[in-house]
Amino acid sequence: MAKPPNGIGRSSMPRSNEGMRLIFSAVVGVMLGYLFGISFPTVNITKLHFPSSIISYIEDRNSGITTQTLLNHAWASANNRKKNNSDSNSDEIPKIYVPTNPKGAERLPPGIVVSETDLYPRRLWGDPSEDLTSEPRYLVTFTVGIGQKANIDAAVKKFSDKFTIMLFHYDGRTTEWDEFEWSKRAIHVSVMKQTKWWYAKRFLHPDVVARYDYIFIWDEDLGVEHFNAEKYIELVRKHGLEISQPGLQPDRGLTWQMTKRRGDREVHKVTEERPGWCTDPHLPPCAAFVEIMATVFSRNAWRCVWHMIQNDLVHGWGLDFALRKCVEPAHEKIGVVDAQWIVHQAVPSLGNQGKSDNGKAPWEGVRARCRKEWGIFQTRLADAEKAYYLEQGITPPNSTAV
């Protein structure tokens, strides 16, 4: 028999071994693929959300992004979604809502809400708890121009370090006051040609001055030779006055009998006026009345009065007749302190900040505005009270005028 050519039998052996290796590799690959597949979390490609930057890369043929990068991102997205789904099934952290908090702060825990502030200056360094060496209990404000600098210096010296001193500058000149040592500790607010009630409405909100037991809102032209602030407060407390003023020296700058100093008493709360001026002995100007030149308010009374001050009626005329709306009984809680008295010097310095018009002096335009504001305020208050009564189904009184 002829022998097969050399090498034919030997060459079949490697082919057989190579086939076996391929089969073995395929089986192993299938098994590994199965094991890998069951361990990989289920991912719905349609639910994967790729960032716009990734999508732009995919759309850009030249981006060079690799399949491995996309898979890594898919894996991370799937894990995050799984974690979020797990979190949503757990108990959610309860949201904070406290309806008794101040308006706008309902979502804050009450322990972090600070609804009031103060006018105490603080340091820029150190421990905050060590900032204040004293906390004044009273506030006195003066609306000032530089022309009354000497008078204000004398007045401020009548107030001890238990008072915060605040100056409202209607002429814009503040640095000239630095010659006084007390001025360096005072609070200065400067806006040109504004009145004290304009300042008070904007800078003396009740939540800003809540630390003070009493708030003095005074003019600049007051003589204080016979006045002591702390003795004044003693008398106010003794006689239960929520709104008050010092008595005025009888022969200087006097408009109303109620504000005239009585030399035989500490305090008075009623007076007699000209015939026909007082329809009720318990109503202004015979009682429940002080003027607005040197008014002193308790904390609680000021919280009410502040809300009654109108934004556009800057002179405050008519306010003195309406102060009684804020305390009850007004004829007992509004009065004049005779034992601590002042002099109204009647200096028309703020009036001179007006504008000349049609040959009239600046102060004449200011005075005309004051009278107009008084009428507007009377009308507003009467209309507001009437609207309230009607809303409540109550017949309005015959007169609610201030």
Side-chain angles (χ1 to χ4, degrees), residues 19 25 50-51 72 140 144 158 161 233 289 322 335 364:
S25 297
F50 295 95
N72 288 343
V140 57
V144 302
K158 293 289 185 173
D161 58 5
I233 289 176
F289 175 78
E364 292 183 274

Side-chain angles (χ1 to χ4, degrees), residues 99-118:
T100 55
N101 277 359
K103 184 179 180 181
E106 294 88 352
R107 290 178 175 84
L108 297 177
I112 199 62
V113 173
V114 181
S115 59
E116 298 175 345
T117 185
D118 57 61

Side-chain angles (χ1 to χ4, degrees), residues 216-388:
F216 292 60
I217 302 181
W218 280 22
D219 289 352
E220 62 181 338
D221 58 342
L222 303 175
V224 293
E225 181 181 355
H226 306 284
F227 179 82
N228 180 285
E230 291 191 46
K231 290 181 179 180
Y232 180 92
I233 289 176
E234 289 177 7
L235 291 171
V236 163
R237 285 200 169 108
K238 176 181 176 181
H239 293 275
L241 299 179
E242 297 288 326
I243 301 174
S244 64
Q245 74 162 79
L248 295 179
Q249 182 174 311
D251 59 344
R252 295 285 300 275
L254 189 66
T255 303
W256 306 98
Q257 290 297 311
M258 179 65 184
T259 58
K260 182 170 68 175
R261 173 184 176 246
R262 312 287 194 265
D264 58 349
R265 65 195 69 183
E266 291 181 331
V267 165
H268 73 271
K269 301 177 182 180
V270 296
T271 192
E272 292 185 1
E273 265 292 354
R274 302 172 193 178
W277 279 29
C278 297
T279 58
D280 186 319
H282 287 166
L283 292 180
C286 287
F289 175 78
V290 293
E291 292 189 79
I292 58 174
M293 73 175 72
T295 325
V296 180
F297 302 93
S298 71
R299 181 193 300 110
N300 290 336
W302 177 245
R303 183 167 291 276
C304 172
V305 171
W306 183 90
H307 285 89
M308 190 164 52
I309 299 172
Q310 307 291 289
N311 286 325
D312 57 333
L313 306 183
V314 297
H315 290 288
W317 277 38
L319 190 63
D320 41 11
F321 279 77
L323 294 176
R324 62 188 177 89
K325 308 287 185 180
C326 286
V327 292
E328 183 66 33
H331 65 279
E332 291 292 337
K333 295 189 175 182
I334 299 178
V336 175
V337 178
D338 299 290
Q340 296 296 320
W341 50 283
I342 60 176
V343 176
H344 185 207
Q345 298 166 340
V347 178
S349 50
L350 182 59
N352 292 334
Q353 296 292 310
K355 180 181 178 181
S356 297
D357 188 30
N358 295 326
K360 296 181 179 180
W363 69 266
E364 292 183 274
V366 173
R367 181 55 61 92
R369 167 76 179 248
C370 290
R371 294 193 182 99
K372 185 174 184 177
E373 286 192 6
W374 191 356
I376 293 172
F377 182 74
Q378 285 181 303
T379 300
R380 284 185 189 174
L381 183 56
D383 289 348
E385 290 189 340
K386 181 178 179 181
Y388 170 80

